[in-house]
Amino acid sequence: MSERAIRAARALPGPLSRRRFLAGASAALLAGPALAQSGATDVDVAIVGGGAAGIAAARRIAGSGHSYVLLEAGPRLGGRARTVEALGMEVDLGCGLLPGDFHPLLAAADAAGLAVTDLSNGPRLYVEGREAKESDYDHFLAALGQARRDIRAAADAGKDVAVATVMPKPEPGSRSGPWEATAADMLGPLGCGRGLETLSTLDLALRAPPAGNATSPVGVGAMLQTLGAWLNLQTDAPVTQITHGGRVHALRVEGQRGLIRARAIILAVPAPVIAAGAIKFNPALPRRLAQAFDDCPAGALEQVAFLLPGNPLRLEADERILPRAGKVPALLRGRVNGTDLHILTFGDAPAREIAAKGKEAGLRLARAFLGEAFALAPETVTEVACSAWTTDPLIRGAMAAVRPGKGAQRRLFEDPVQTRIFLAGEYTSTDSWGSLAGAWESGEVAAAKALALLGDGPS
């Protein structure tokens, strides 16, 4: 956060909280450069999309002294990281974890005075409502390790086939069988939001995102809003068309008369939004690039939040629980920030049902999961709050994962489009796709490319 934003936040009454940070950041934004409000239409760089990638890119461009504008189609920053008021508290319905060793993001948070809380490195395994035995951990880790080795071996051999075809098959009666199914859930539906039969071995073999072993007490979505609030920002500003104009490109924003002309564009909107044709390009995207977007469909990951007063599961603060594979696999983050808040993450078909049917499906699935995993009575959970990323027209799903046989397509996103358009977002990273770190880093990389194109000084 800028010094102006920090001063504005500190000037507000009461302890330094999420509300004060956002209020101070908003005050700083109103007091800062207002290109969007002044009617100016020429900038060095236009950043399209206000998720982690767009925020990181805009911060880098702002620090260079070049003129810029950050255009966000929705009413708020953060992308798939969103902190909302629900169940009487602030809830992250989206990305709620951070990589504890990802220094660019941690440094930005520290400079803004935003705390980051360290968590344990991985989930605890549960069987029939109790933590798994040491032998069960051994079976799970062996199954997960073997699956990863088989995926890597197939990729190294040039076999870019469906991941499901190379996964180990459990032997009848084997004690490791259920844990092999759990490992498959972690790699597919709970890891990517897609079944293993739809995932490329090459794409999954290259993936090595940093662990989500930290969080923000104010909420990850709120943290990102604070980190971007002082930027030269337009919200509710969906870009509908980008026109190639040689040394200058033109952007048309819905509801605005004039065009925004930019010497470089950083396109930081989700891959499925581009694939759906929400932004028109003149001339059209190169056929090979358009095909690459089609070959990277989004998975489905949705979250269901609820309260469990009295800690009936006997969990520590922010414990993450992975029960052995059952009828409805899910990941549980319990007692978020030490409160009664719990959040379940569902993937693939259950996630799509939650996005389509809302709280009705979320409540039913949460009760089914808690009954099977912990023998909790259905009436223990009476109210839920649900995400709906799959049906949100500005998001259209979770991370983009490559289809079998198309594993090399992701590298196409590294190249500039029409000379002056640079792609950013989690999907552009070959090894950290589907992660907040991958998105943030991609924004910084795209900004560096744009600045290299523009030269040392602002226009």
Side-chain angles (χ1 to χ4, degrees):
M1 181 182 286
S2 67
E3 286 297 321
R4 183 189 297 112
I6 294 173
R7 288 196 298 271
R10 288 174 176 164
L12 297 172
L16 200 57
S17 65
R18 170 184 177 265
R19 291 181 183 275
R20 287 187 62 222
F21 264 110
L22 292 181
S26 298
L29 174 62
L30 293 175
L35 175 147
Q37 298 164 5
S38 68
T41 56
D42 287 5
V43 292
D44 290 324
V45 185
I47 302 104
V48 184
I55 293 169
R59 288 170 61 94
R60 177 74 180 272
I61 299 298
S64 74
H66 284 80
S67 61
Y68 73 97
V69 63
L70 174 58
L71 302 167
E72 164 54 38
R76 70 183 87 187
L77 295 174
R80 295 186 189 94
R82 185 173 299 171
T83 307
V84 301
E85 291 189 11
L87 305 172
M89 60 179 62
E90 306 293 334
V91 180
D92 268 333
L93 281 181
C95 176
L97 301 176
L98 304 168
D101 58 354
F102 185 62
H103 299 295
L105 185 54
L106 297 181
D110 183 64
L114 292 168
V116 172
T117 303
D118 291 330
L119 305 176
S120 59
N121 281 323
R124 292 169 61 189
L125 303 178
Y126 264 56
V127 179
E128 297 177 351
R130 300 178 183 275
E131 185 170 9
K133 299 177 181 178
E134 185 174 348
S135 59
D136 289 312
Y137 275 91
D138 291 341
H139 285 305
F140 172 72
L141 293 175
L144 189 61
Q146 186 61 54
R148 287 174 171 161
R149 286 191 294 273
D150 290 343
I151 292 168
R152 169 64 69 179
D156 289 345
K159 298 178 181 178
D160 189 13
V161 295
V163 171
T165 65
V166 303
M167 289 286 287
K169 302 297 188 294
E171 298 180 4
S174 169
R175 287 191 60 194
S176 63
W179 292 116
E180 288 175 343
T182 308
D185 287 338
M186 281 291 289
L187 291 171
L190 298 179
C192 304
R194 301 237 308 268
L196 293 179
E197 66 279 0
T198 72
L199 298 175
S200 152
T201 51
L202 176 58
D203 197 39
L204 203 55
L206 294 174
R207 189 187 191 207
N213 54 5
T215 191
S216 170
V218 299
V220 174
M223 184 187 80
L224 288 180
Q225 286 190 70
T226 301
L227 293 179
W230 60 270
L231 297 167
N232 188 35
L233 167 68
Q234 289 188 44
T235 55
D236 296 307
V239 173
T240 58
Q241 182 171 308
I242 297 176
T243 300
H244 187 292
R247 293 176 61 83
V248 176
H249 281 30
L251 300 90
R252 184 175 299 281
V253 178
E254 185 178 291
Q256 296 186 13
R257 285 187 177 183
L259 300 176
I260 294 176
R261 295 183 295 273
R263 298 168 61 201
I265 296 172
I266 296 173
L267 189 58
V269 302
V273 174
I274 299 175
I279 300 176
K280 306 300 181 185
F281 294 85
N282 181 24
L285 291 177
R287 182 175 298 179
R288 190 179 178 200
L289 180 61
Q291 184 61 53
F293 278 110
D294 287 339
D295 289 334
C296 297
L301 289 170
E302 302 294 351
Q303 294 186 320
V304 178
F306 54 92
L307 302 179
L308 285 180
N311 192 16
L313 303 184
R314 301 181 299 280
L315 302 179
E316 299 294 329
D318 282 300
E319 279 201 287
R320 286 164 290 165
I321 304 299
L322 175 64
R324 190 170 62 184
K327 295 179 181 178
V328 184
L331 271 168
L332 173 66
R333 181 182 170 197
R335 302 194 62 228
V336 176
N337 291 323
T339 69
D340 291 334
L341 178 66
H342 295 62
I343 299 176
L344 281 169
T345 299
F346 294 92
D348 203 17
R352 290 192 294 273
E353 183 180 359
I354 292 168
K357 298 181 180 179
K359 291 183 179 180
E360 175 190 350
L363 179 60
R364 181 179 57 78
L365 287 167
R367 286 174 167 177
F369 172 88
L370 293 170
E372 181 181 34
F374 300 100
L376 285 188
E379 60 271 16
T380 306
V381 178
T382 59
E383 183 182 2
V384 297
C386 305
S387 62
W389 302 111
T390 310
T391 54
D392 187 330
L394 302 182
I395 303 295
R396 297 177 183 262
M399 71 278 287
V402 180
R403 301 182 195 276
K406 306 293 183 178
Q409 294 285 67
R410 198 182 292 274
R411 296 190 182 278
L412 295 179
F413 303 134
E414 298 174 357
D415 299 329
V417 183
Q418 299 171 354
T419 309
R420 294 178 177 271
I421 302 175
F422 303 93
L423 302 177
E426 53 81 18
Y427 72 92
T428 65
S429 174
T430 55
D431 59 357
S432 296
W433 54 268
S435 71
L436 181 63
W440 186 275
E441 186 175 41
S442 76
E444 294 190 329
V445 169
K449 292 177 180 178
L451 292 173
L453 173 72
L454 297 176
D456 294 333
S459 59

